[in-house]
């Protein structure tokens, strides 16, 4: 398991990670969800032992990263945000390189390479990686991360910029890895992905954890209300005057308002909005989702 306590990292005056604590359990996929610049990569780099924390502690299966870094790192498989492959080598040659760094040799290494190439559906490819599509490179990057059967797998936005099929395949492999008992920590800025994949999600923004819970419980506690999105020709003050609403409301820009309401009172709210006398062009209702949780926590929408 991963245990992070009071972790902070500064870059000069910038506090990229600000006193965060969380656990990730074995056999589970824990999500670290946040927009670009939230501090996801900085957090993962510290958990990987690549970046020294300014303060705070990291324990991997009880082993302190600060005190016993070699033992802690030996537990890890890491799938970095930037694809880390040798373009001129084939997929097998790339995996031979990564496997040998992890202490795999001979028959064990070649058998395991065939196994993971099969898992990521690249067994038939013998050409250099430079010929691969973005999705194939991402799959090979994942194969390199799981080759040595790590007990803890860290993934930094492993599905950015790839097609739907490659994404589905990668998510399946990650699920299978967790089902085999590994602790998986997964960062993403895709809400739908966190919702679909993760057992537990910590929402990160400006280096801080705003919420950390099971996905269902997050939705129940924070996103319980449906979000009514209103578009029209109005500014914030006008809207507030015409429509005194005491529930949570956000105005991301002129002409847009998001109101959160309890599940039973959507119809009444819609009636009131449409009858408020402003020029309303469009109204839509979103059911509770991580999107509405995020909106409520940050006042912003998280977009791809
Ligand atoms: N090596 C660095 N030096 C200075 N600032 C950095 C460095 N790495 C990250 N940052 C800053 O820290 C913040 C968090 O970055 P990062 O962890 O990469 O976010 P994310 O992965 O969530 O997009 C950003 O403001 C980024 O510009
Ligand atoms: Mg990042």
């Amino acid at each position: 398991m991963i245990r992070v306590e009071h972790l902070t990292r500064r870059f000069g005056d910038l506090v990229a990670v600000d006193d965060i604590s969380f656990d990730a359990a074995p056999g589970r996929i824990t999500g670290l969800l946040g927009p670009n610049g939230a501090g996801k990569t900085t957090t993962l780099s510290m958990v990987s032992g690549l970046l020294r924390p300014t303060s705070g502690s990291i324990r991997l299966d009880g082993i302190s990263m600060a005190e016993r870094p070699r033992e802690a790192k030996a537990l890890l498989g890491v799938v970095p945000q930037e694809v880390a492959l040798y373009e001129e080598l084939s997929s097998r040659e790339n995996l031979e390189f990564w496997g040998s760094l992890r202490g795999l040799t001979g028959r064990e290494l070649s058998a395991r390479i065939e196994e993971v190439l099969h898992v990521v559906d690249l067994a038939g490819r013998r050409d250099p990686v430079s010929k691969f599509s973005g999705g194939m490179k991402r799959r090979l990057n994942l194969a390199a991360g799981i080759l040595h059967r790590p007990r803890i797998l860290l993934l930094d936005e492993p599905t950015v910029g790839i097609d739907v099929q490659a994404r589905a395949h990668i998510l399946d492999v990650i699920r299978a890895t967790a089902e085999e008992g590994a602790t998986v920590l997964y960062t993403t800025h895709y809400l739908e992905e966190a919702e679909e994949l993760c057992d537990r999600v910590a929402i990160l923004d400006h280096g801080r954890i705003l919420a950390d819970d099971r996905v269902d419980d997050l939705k129940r506690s924070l996103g319980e209300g449906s979000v009514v999105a209103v578009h029209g020709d109005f500014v914030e003050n006008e809207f507030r005057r015409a429509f005194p609403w005491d529930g949570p409301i956000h105005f991301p820009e002129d002409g847009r308002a998001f109101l959160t309401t309890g599940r039973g009172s959507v119809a009444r709210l819609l009636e009131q909005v449409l009858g408020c006398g402003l020029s309303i062009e469009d109204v839509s209702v979103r059911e509770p989702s991580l999107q509405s949780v995020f909106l409520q926590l940050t006042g912003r929408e998280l977009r791809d």
Side-chain angles (χ1 to χ4, degrees):
M1 72 171 294
I2 302 170
R3 172 153 289 172
V4 165
E5 285 176 311
H6 298 295
L7 193 63
T8 295
R9 172 69 205 209
R10 294 171 188 276
F11 295 109
D13 286 341
L14 177 82
V15 188
V17 172
D18 191 359
D19 191 24
I20 66 170
S21 301
F22 64 89
D23 288 344
R28 297 264 185 270
I29 303 173
T30 302
L32 207 52
L33 171 71
N36 285 331
K40 302 181 296 295
T41 297
T42 305
T43 302
L44 237 61
S45 303
M46 290 190 281
V47 175
S48 334
L50 295 172
L51 182 70
R52 198 181 283 275
T54 303
S55 58
S57 73
I58 297 157
R59 282 180 179 276
L60 304 181
D61 287 351
I63 299 171
S64 159
M65 182 58 82
E67 287 157 23
R68 292 153 69 194
R70 276 173 59 115
E71 283 163 78
K73 284 185 207 173
L75 301 169
L76 287 172
V78 182
V79 180
Q81 187 166 12
E82 300 300 329
V83 175
L85 300 167
Y86 289 100
E87 293 274 326
E88 65 278 16
L89 301 182
S90 70
S91 47
R92 280 177 183 76
E93 289 162 338
N94 266 285
L95 292 177
E96 274 163 18
F97 172 74
W98 287 110
S100 61
L101 285 186
R102 288 298 191 165
L104 296 173
T105 52
R107 285 230 184 105
E108 189 195 6
L109 176 59
S110 32
R112 184 61 187 152
I113 288 175
E114 292 315 311
E115 207 169 285
V116 292
L117 282 176
H118 186 74
V119 166
V120 299
D121 202 16
L122 288 173
R125 300 291 297 225
R126 306 210 160 254
D127 43 347
V129 166
S130 56
K131 302 269 164 57
F132 284 19
S133 69
M136 290 166 67
K137 286 181 189 172
R138 288 264 169 204
R139 268 144 59 200
L140 184 55
N141 205 37
L142 173 61
I146 60 174
L147 186 61
H148 58 296
R149 299 181 192 281
R151 289 181 41 192
I152 300 177
L153 181 62
L154 310 178
L155 303 119
D156 198 359
E157 309 215 39
T159 62
V160 167
I162 62 175
D163 65 46
V164 178
Q165 272 159 311
R167 173 187 285 210
H169 198 100
I170 284 179
L171 298 191
D172 282 345
V173 173
I174 294 168
R175 272 191 207 99
T177 307
E179 269 162 27
E180 285 165 17
T183 302
V184 179
L185 181 61
Y186 186 92
T187 83
T188 183
H189 69 275
Y190 296 125
L191 280 160
E192 305 75 16
E193 213 168 83
E195 193 155 7
E196 177 189 337
L197 185 70
C198 300
D199 300 288
R200 202 181 171 87
V201 171
I203 296 179
L204 196 67
D205 195 28
H206 300 300
R208 291 174 179 246
I209 290 181
L210 303 181
D212 173 9
D213 215 332
R214 290 187 38 223
V215 174
D216 289 349
D217 290 332
L218 276 177
K219 287 200 255 180
R220 211 167 296 137
S221 61
L222 287 150
E224 186 182 17
S226 305
V227 173
V228 174
V230 184
H231 289 232
D233 187 17
F234 57 77
V235 297
E236 177 174 344
N237 282 342
E238 257 179 331
F239 192 91
R240 285 195 192 275
R241 230 176 299 122
F243 190 74
W245 172 250
D246 48 14
I249 180 164
H250 292 294
F251 293 91
E253 64 201 7
D254 282 350
R256 293 175 75 204
F258 292 97
L259 300 89
T260 307
T261 181
R263 284 201 113 161
S265 42
V266 175
R268 196 161 43 85
L269 175 62
L270 284 178
E271 228 174 302
Q272 288 177 5
V273 167
L274 293 172
C276 74
L278 293 175
S279 134
I280 306 290
E281 284 154 22
D282 191 31
V283 179
S284 58
V285 181
R286 288 183 219 153
E287 283 314 299
S289 64
L290 274 186
Q291 178 76 46
S292 53
V293 172
F294 190 84
L295 182 66
Q296 235 177 301
L297 286 169
T298 65
R300 288 182 285 116
E301 284 196 276
L302 186 77
R303 291 206 173 275
D304 288 354

